[in-house]
Amino acid sequence: LQKSLTETFGTDKYSRARKEVLTYMFSRPMQMALYFCTGILNDETLFHHYALNVPFYTHFTSPIRRYADIVVHRLLSASFGARSPIKMETQSIQKQADHCNDRKMASKRVQELSADLFFSVFVRVRR
């Protein structure tokens, strides 16, 4: 897809912007990943990563970036025996996951609205 977009949009001064906007619009319908506590879900098929086609998946980035990543790092460390278990109940972990999901969704919505505004201005200028 990336190669096709690059070939389609050429090399003029707006080609990069057009490609970025359309790439974003293509990826927009994809389901957003959600944080959840595995102790809450009984259906292990919900742990599956569709695009990677792996049955069990967890995602995290550097723990300096987001609270959810700190929790994941701590839980993984405890599961490997590298640290003592977190003293949080399953329901508390899920409550934190729900809060992180809410904030992530709100952030994504603002990003989408910003992209829509940019696209509208871009189309108006190009007429």
Side-chain angles (χ1 to χ4, degrees), residues 39-121:
I40 297 294
L41 302 176
N42 295 324
D43 184 1
E44 288 187 358
T45 63
L46 296 174
F47 304 167
H48 181 262
H49 190 286
Y50 177 78
L52 297 176
N53 195 26
V54 293
F56 296 101
Y57 178 81
T58 190
H59 171 80
F60 56 91
T61 60
S62 168
I64 63 170
R65 291 190 55 211
R66 294 182 293 227
Y67 179 70
D69 298 316
I70 293 170
V71 172
V72 171
H73 273 256
R74 290 177 180 169
L75 290 169
L76 286 172
S77 294
S79 71
F80 293 135
R83 64 168 286 147
S84 58
I86 292 179
K87 293 180 172 95
M88 287 177 73
E89 297 293 321
T90 303
Q91 293 295 337
S92 296
I93 294 170
Q94 184 58 46
K95 186 176 179 180
Q96 289 295 324
D98 290 339
H99 177 73
C100 290
N101 289 332
D102 289 344
R103 297 295 82 216
K104 188 166 70 165
M105 291 292 219
S107 174
K108 183 167 177 62
R109 184 66 183 136
V110 169
Q111 180 184 9
E112 289 171 351
L113 291 170
S114 174
D116 290 347
L117 177 62
F118 169 79
F119 186 68
S120 298
V121 170

Side-chain angles (χ1 to χ4, degrees), residues 1-10 15 19 22-23 26:
L1 179 61
Q2 193 70 23
K3 184 179 176 188
S4 295
L5 288 173
T6 301
E7 291 172 359
T8 301
F9 293 119
S15 62
K19 185 171 73 170
L22 287 175
T23 299
F26 289 144

Side-chain angles (χ1 to χ4, degrees), residues 9-19 118 122 125-126:
F9 293 119
T11 57
D12 68 26
K13 67 180 182 176
Y14 295 110
S15 62
R16 182 171 178 227
R18 285 192 301 270
K19 185 171 73 170
F118 169 79
F122 179 76
V125 170
R126 294 292 291 170

